[in-house]
Amino acid sequence: MIAQPIAVLVHGILDDGAIFAPLQRRLIAAGVDAKAISMKPPGGWQGIEPLARQLAAFVEMLNAPKVDLVGFSMGGIVCRYFLQRLDGLECVRQLVTISSPHAGTLTGHLVPFGAAHQMRTGSKFLAELNSDMHVLEPLKPLSIWSRYDLTVTPANTAVLPVGLCTEIPVLLHRWMPRDARVGKAVVDHLWS
């Protein structure tokens, strides 16, 4: 029997944990102890690294043997930095990313600093993070993406080359964590 999963929901740029309200309710109804973090500053102006340190402190505060991570947009990259650079692998059971620019996004070129700069197509930051992504394989990562996403462009850069991927045709980037089909995919994966 699987113990009750504890899921930490990690938001994207210019958001906070409130973006996960529908997903959080769905997870709780399915028996998952879902907790949303609100990182500061939410714009990621200082980069991914300080946000990942906040995530590490949040996970440590939970004092759970293992947690699942669900990251939306930039949140998925924050999760990966925590896992791959801050020794988070030891305390995480599974990883789900929703519309996270694993291979970069052209929209990252619109802001020349901070997390947006790090998530642009061709960034040194993502190249280094992707150089050892194979360490994520034991976490059974799931990438959820939409071909209609105009924020993560091209949209298929939201597919992590390890683990599983599911395409869900949501029309707007910001709707992804609120979509019932996305919620079902997350619940199903965390209980698998």
Side-chain angles (χ1 to χ4, degrees), residues 15-26 72 98 170 172-184:
D15 275 322
D16 60 26
I19 195 163
F20 288 114
L23 177 59
Q24 190 170 18
R25 285 191 299 272
R26 183 179 197 104
F72 167 58
I98 303 168
V170 179
L172 293 175
H173 182 75
R174 291 190 52 77
W175 291 356
M176 290 292 287
R178 297 180 172 122
D179 188 276
R181 296 165 296 175
V182 171
K184 181 180 183 324

Side-chain angles (χ1 to χ4, degrees), residues 12-191:
I13 205 163
L14 298 176
D15 275 322
D16 60 26
I19 195 163
F20 288 114
L23 177 59
Q24 190 170 18
R25 285 191 299 272
R26 183 179 197 104
L27 288 166
I28 291 168
V32 176
D33 184 5
K35 304 186 180 305
I37 184 175
S38 290
M39 300 174 291
K40 305 287 183 208
W45 308 124
Q46 297 167 350
I48 298 287
E49 299 89 342
L51 301 175
R53 286 191 290 276
Q54 290 177 50
L55 174 58
F58 187 84
V59 169
E60 184 176 346
M61 178 197 68
L62 293 176
N63 197 29
K66 293 274 186 179
V67 300
D68 296 326
L69 296 179
V70 179
F72 167 58
S73 195
M74 175 190 74
I77 306 303
V78 171
C79 290
R80 287 189 53 205
Y81 192 87
F82 164 61
L83 291 165
Q84 294 175 246
R85 300 294 181 260
L86 300 179
D87 299 321
L89 288 167
E90 295 168 12
C91 60
V92 173
R93 185 178 71 104
Q94 293 189 93
L95 171 66
V96 177
T97 63
I98 303 168
S99 295
S100 296
H102 298 294
T105 176
L106 295 173
T107 59
H109 293 275
L110 300 176
V111 180
F113 55 86
H117 179 78
Q118 290 174 306
M119 293 185 293
R120 66 186 177 157
T121 304
S123 78
K124 180 180 176 187
F125 176 86
L126 284 177
E128 289 175 359
L129 199 60
N130 289 336
S131 70
D132 63 350
M133 74 173 69
H134 64 278
V135 300
L136 300 172
E137 289 175 359
L139 303 180
K140 303 186 299 186
L142 171 65
S143 307
I144 300 173
W145 68 290
S146 171
R147 71 180 61 230
Y148 304 112
D149 195 329
L150 297 177
T151 300
V152 176
T153 54
N156 65 354
T157 62
V159 176
L160 194 58
V162 296
L164 306 170
C165 76
T166 299
E167 181 189 358
I168 299 177
V170 179
L171 295 179
L172 293 175
H173 182 75
R174 291 190 52 77
W175 291 356
M176 290 292 287
R178 297 180 172 122
D179 188 276
R181 296 165 296 175
V182 171
K184 181 180 183 324
V186 172
V187 168
D188 290 349
H189 189 73
L190 296 186
W191 276 114

